Amino acid sequence: MSDEKEHLNKLHQIVKNSIEAEELIIQNLLHPPIETLSKGQQISDTVATFGGSWRFIIIFGIILTLWIVFNIVAVGVFKFDPYPFILMNLILSTIAALQARLGVCTRKWIYC
C-alpha cells in the first residue's frame, strides 16, 4: 500500500511539473521575452537585412553598370579598371565573402 501511495505521489509531482512547464511555455508564447542584442548583433542584422534587399540589388546593379560603362568609354588615364575589370572582380569577391559571413551570423540563423 505504501509503494502505491509513493508511486501516486511521484505521478502527481510529474503532472504538476508538466502543468507548470506548460504554463511557462504559454506565457512565453503570449508575451515573448525581449531579446537583448549586443551592438555587433544589431549591426550584423542591419547589414544583412540591407544586403539581401531589392534596394541593395538594384543600387549595386546600377553601380556595376556605371563602373563597366565608364571603364569602356573612358580614355587614357581615366580608365582606372580596364577590361577584364580585375579590380571590380576583387571587390565583388570581397563583398560576397563578407555578406556570406554576415548572413550566417545574423540572429535569424542559429549557426553563429
Side-chain angles (χ1 to χ4, degrees), residues 65-83 85:
T65 304
L66 291 174
W67 181 300
I68 292 169
V69 169
F70 178 81
N71 282 293
I72 289 174
V73 175
V75 213
V77 291
F78 296 112
K79 284 187 177 186
F80 61 91
D81 188 24
Y83 183 81
F85 311 116

Side-chain angles (χ1 to χ4, degrees), residues 23-40:
E23 287 175 4
L24 180 62
I25 291 171
I26 291 171
Q27 285 300 320
N28 285 341
L29 288 174
L30 292 175
H31 309 286
I34 298 173
E35 288 184 282
T36 52
L37 300 176
S38 70
K39 192 68 172 169

Side-chain angles (χ1 to χ4, degrees), residues 30-95:
L30 292 175
H31 309 286
I34 298 173
E35 288 184 282
T36 52
L37 300 176
S38 70
K39 192 68 172 169
Q41 290 170 327
Q42 292 171 354
I43 292 170
S44 177
D45 282 348
T46 304
V47 171
T49 301
F50 175 71
S53 69
W54 279 107
R55 181 178 178 195
F56 172 78
I57 293 169
I58 292 168
I59 291 171
F60 204 64
I62 291 170
I63 290 172
L64 290 178
T65 304
L66 291 174
W67 181 300
I68 292 169
V69 169
F70 178 81
N71 282 293
I72 289 174
V73 175
V75 213
V77 291
F78 296 112
K79 284 187 177 186
F80 61 91
D81 188 24
Y83 183 81
F85 311 116
I86 295 172
L87 180 61
M88 182 179 70
N89 283 318
L90 177 65
I91 292 170
L92 289 174
S93 298
T94 304
I95 289 172

